Amino acid sequence: MTDEASLDALAEDRADTFDHWDEAFVQDPLPIYTRMRSECPVAHSDLYGGFWAIASYKHIVEVCHEPGKFSSRAQSIPVDIGAGDMILPPINVDPPNHNAFRRMLLPFFSPQRVASLEPVVRDIVR
């Protein structure tokens, strides 16, 4: 945790109605994220059953190191869209189980392996 205010203290500044599905946000999210970073970098919205919106890299890193408070289990907001409650390791698996999946996948994402895929990816993108 940083020597600044803790995540708990930052969460006191709630953005109860932050809506990532709002048309204005979808069209141009940058001004909203910029304002959130300066005024409320860790916000909780009560919409869609409740979720956290983290607007700064520093706080995202902190949140990722606190899986007991901020689980990766739900990957869609609201949770009943997308893959629903399907487990998709390692994306929505918290430590320590996440670590085992990550170790298993690391060889497929080595710099050499990724570089070998570049021609195929470029063809697909074109």
Side-chain angles (χ1 to χ4, degrees):
M1 200 56 85
T2 66
D3 55 359
E4 295 178 25
S6 71
L7 289 174
D8 290 335
L10 285 168
E12 294 297 320
D13 293 328
R14 296 169 52 94
D16 294 334
T17 59
F18 173 76
D19 186 357
H20 60 295
W21 294 106
D22 179 79
E23 186 64 30
F25 179 78
V26 171
Q27 293 299 316
D28 192 9
L30 185 58
I32 296 167
Y33 277 134
T34 299
R35 184 173 176 197
M36 285 177 69
R37 273 193 297 280
S38 67
E39 296 177 17
C40 185
V42 179
H44 185 275
S45 176
D46 291 332
L47 297 175
Y48 310 110
F51 66 93
W52 291 93
I54 314 300
S56 75
Y57 177 80
K58 177 181 95 174
H59 293 105
I60 289 170
V61 169
E62 289 183 35
V63 163
C64 288
H65 286 97
E66 295 199 33
K69 287 184 181 179
F70 300 95
S71 176
S72 297
R73 183 68 181 98
Q75 288 298 304
S76 62
I77 301 163
V79 295
D80 60 350
I81 65 170
D85 203 32
M86 183 189 315
I87 297 174
L88 301 169
I91 301 297
N92 63 349
V93 176
D94 292 323
N97 296 333
H98 170 85
N99 301 341
F101 284 110
R102 185 173 174 182
R103 273 192 302 277
M104 186 171 54
L105 293 170
L106 276 176
F108 298 99
F109 294 95
S110 70
Q112 298 82 9
R113 176 73 176 173
V114 171
S116 75
L117 297 172
E118 183 177 355
V120 174
V121 171
R122 286 188 180 276
D123 285 343
I124 292 169
V125 171
R126 278 190 212 107

